[in-house]
Amino acid sequence: MDSQKELSGKKVLLMAFATGIIVANLNYIQPIEGLIATSFQVSKATVGVVAMLTQLGYAFGLLLIVPLGDIFNRYHLIQVMLGFSILALFMAFFAPSITIFGVASLLVGITSVAPQIIIPYAAYLAPSLHQGKVLGNVLSGLLTGILLSRSVSGLLGSVLDWQYVYLIAAFICTILLVILHLYLPRDPRQHQRMNYGKVLASLPKLLAKEKHLQGSAINGFCLFGVSNVLWSTLAFYLADQYHLGSGVAGLLGLLGITGVLFASIIGRLVDTYSPRMTIGLGILFSTLAFVIFAFIGQLFIGLIVGIVLLDLGTQFGQVSNQAIVQSLSLEASSRNNSVFMFSYFLGGSLGTFFATLAWSHLGWVGVCSVAAVFLILALLGHLLLKEPQKLQKVG
């Protein structure tokens, strides 16, 4: 297969666009948590649990669904999962109670895993010497979806009933489904004769075998956990400290554009220099962010600088870890990605849960303390399970 012909610049752009649109479903809830609590007349801690369910559902979708990418045609699998995601979004829009909305949020998480099928698919189609660059471009779309989802959700929540965020998302995903059906690259692989049960049973073996997968799983767990510590409590902090609403929380999400602009550059740094170096930078930037939040977070400029550093740190870790994971094996690329991203979003869900819990009891000091625990774990993993100095080239 001539990968360069198979994966043109336009196809990479489409895949980046698709990952951004779909992953946005996971983050719509963050700026509007206060509005949801008021609407259903429940506590902020309860809505924090619902937000955690979205992340936790995504983690289990990664564990149970993404490995199917090593068995079935990815062109079809991506579209099937997007179809289920659309149904879950409609359920969230029509939910009459917090319980039904919680179930819908869990299903939104489980079904929105298509980006993590697209990422190893892009790596498979990309020329091996340019995998870091291609992954950087696709992950730029992923991060754009995350930051724009917060902004769009916060702004829509300030002018419309919050439920319309999910209705609009469902219609956008429906349009995307048609576009992917027409233009997504066809999967050149033959159907793999692999038993689903054996595929799932192979996941712990892959983790035990690959030291670098272990390192990436721990690092992803910690850095995404730290990211969600902030984004799950920012709307509460803005309301408490500045008496500002969801619209401002959404606008602050736009500061993550720094991470988007640097994603492709980070990919090239990983290809040219060392993923160990770039992961170290990710830990450093995330740590500096929470030092700023802890000591001058009461100043609006402190929030702005900290958010820029945090999103940059998250992106350094994400691109670097994805490049490591996708360099391990072409045959097991979806399964390796499943293990990594399960750990990634498990960290995110626990970051959301513990940060919301800490906010309820200890306020901003508690939130920053939760972040410190994640950052210490990230540093220990970085020192003990050393990332590779150079990527091994596969394929």
Side-chain angles (χ1 to χ4, degrees):
M1 177 186 68
D2 186 342
S3 295
Q4 297 189 53
K5 290 182 180 178
E6 185 70 24
L7 197 63
S8 66
K10 290 181 179 179
K11 300 293 186 183
V12 174
L13 182 61
L14 173 61
M15 295 172 109
F17 180 76
T19 59
I21 291 292
I22 301 168
V23 79
N25 298 337
L26 305 175
N27 301 286
Y28 289 130
I29 191 173
Q30 291 176 342
I32 57 174
E33 288 182 32
L35 299 175
I36 295 170
T38 301
S39 174
F40 287 124
Q41 297 183 328
V42 296
S43 69
K44 292 175 181 177
T46 300
V47 179
V49 171
V50 173
M52 180 198 71
L53 287 175
T54 306
Q55 303 285 345
L56 198 61
Y58 194 71
F60 280 98
L62 292 166
L63 190 67
L64 300 174
I65 297 171
V66 170
L68 294 174
D70 284 338
I71 306 175
F72 297 115
N73 185 294
R74 288 169 178 167
Y75 168 78
H76 296 301
L77 182 59
I78 290 164
Q79 294 176 68
V80 168
M81 293 316 304
L82 182 54
F84 283 126
S85 185
I86 292 166
L87 294 177
L89 290 167
F90 276 118
M91 182 178 177
F93 170 71
F94 287 110
S97 67
I98 190 65
T99 302
I100 301 300
F101 181 69
V103 173
S105 296
L106 180 67
L107 293 175
V108 166
I110 292 172
T111 58
S112 296
V113 295
Q116 303 309 324
I117 302 169
I118 292 172
I119 288 168
Y121 190 24
Y124 175 81
L125 295 173
S128 60
L129 292 177
H130 299 288
Q131 281 187 355
K133 181 180 178 181
V134 169
L135 285 170
N137 289 332
V138 174
L139 289 167
S140 291
L142 194 79
L143 185 61
T144 301
I146 291 171
L147 73 92
L148 287 181
S149 65
R150 294 171 182 147
S151 302
V152 169
S153 176
L155 291 172
L156 286 176
S158 66
V159 296
L160 297 172
D161 289 341
W162 63 265
Q163 290 92 337
Y164 283 95
V165 171
Y166 290 93
L167 180 65
I168 293 169
F171 282 121
I172 291 173
C173 285
T174 301
I175 295 169
L176 176 64
L177 180 58
V178 175
I179 294 172
L180 290 180
H181 181 73
L182 295 174
Y183 300 110
L184 186 69
R186 292 335 192 242
D187 194 340
R189 303 171 307 156
Q190 298 295 320
H191 179 79
Q192 306 296 303
R193 295 185 178 277
M194 301 172 69
N195 179 274
Y196 177 61
K198 290 182 179 178
V199 167
L200 291 184
S202 72
L203 298 180
K205 297 175 183 176
L206 287 172
L207 183 61
K209 173 186 172 184
E210 296 284 1
K211 177 184 175 183
H212 294 320
L213 181 58
Q214 297 167 16
S216 290
I218 291 173
N219 184 261
F221 176 97
C222 294
L223 290 190
F224 194 57
V226 166
S227 177
N228 275 22
V229 165
L230 173 75
W231 291 109
S232 62
T233 55
L234 182 61
F236 302 150
Y237 184 66
L238 287 172
D240 181 74
Q241 181 73 22
Y242 300 104
H243 308 291
L244 297 173
S246 64
V248 176
L251 285 173
L252 285 175
L254 289 174
L255 294 172
I257 192 67
T258 306
V260 176
L261 296 175
F262 271 85
S264 183
I265 297 172
I266 296 168
R268 288 196 290 270
L269 288 174
V270 172
D271 283 334
T272 307
Y273 296 103
S274 164
R276 178 163 173 77
M277 177 194 76
T278 51
I279 284 176
L281 288 173
I283 296 172
L284 175 62
F285 288 139
S286 297
T287 301
L288 288 175
F290 268 93
V291 169
I292 291 171
F293 292 144
F295 289 100
I296 57 172
Q298 72 276 14
L299 302 177
F300 207 74
I301 186 64
L303 278 182
I304 291 173
V305 174
I307 288 171
V308 170
L309 287 172
L310 182 63
D311 279 326
L312 197 56
T314 303
Q315 188 72 340
F316 262 94
Q318 171 75 327
V319 174
S320 304
N321 283 313
Q322 282 285 5
I324 292 170
V325 169
Q326 295 308 320
S327 74
L328 298 177
S329 168
L330 280 179
E331 292 75 19
S333 61
S334 284
R335 283 169 287 163
N336 285 332
N337 193 53
S338 179
V339 171
F340 166 63
M341 292 305 299
F342 173 76
S343 179
Y344 191 80
F345 276 89
L346 182 62
S349 66
L350 292 177
T352 296
F353 175 74
F354 285 115
T356 307
L357 191 65
W359 171 262
S360 299
H361 293 88
L362 299 171
W364 193 240
V365 172
V367 169
C368 293
S369 299
V370 171
V373 173
F374 278 97
L375 289 166
I376 290 169
L377 290 175
L379 181 60
L380 289 174
H382 180 62
L383 295 175
L384 298 176
L385 292 170
K386 297 180 179 180
E387 299 86 6
Q389 293 290 352
K390 286 285 185 181
L391 294 178
Q392 63 188 62
K393 301 302 179 182
V394 296

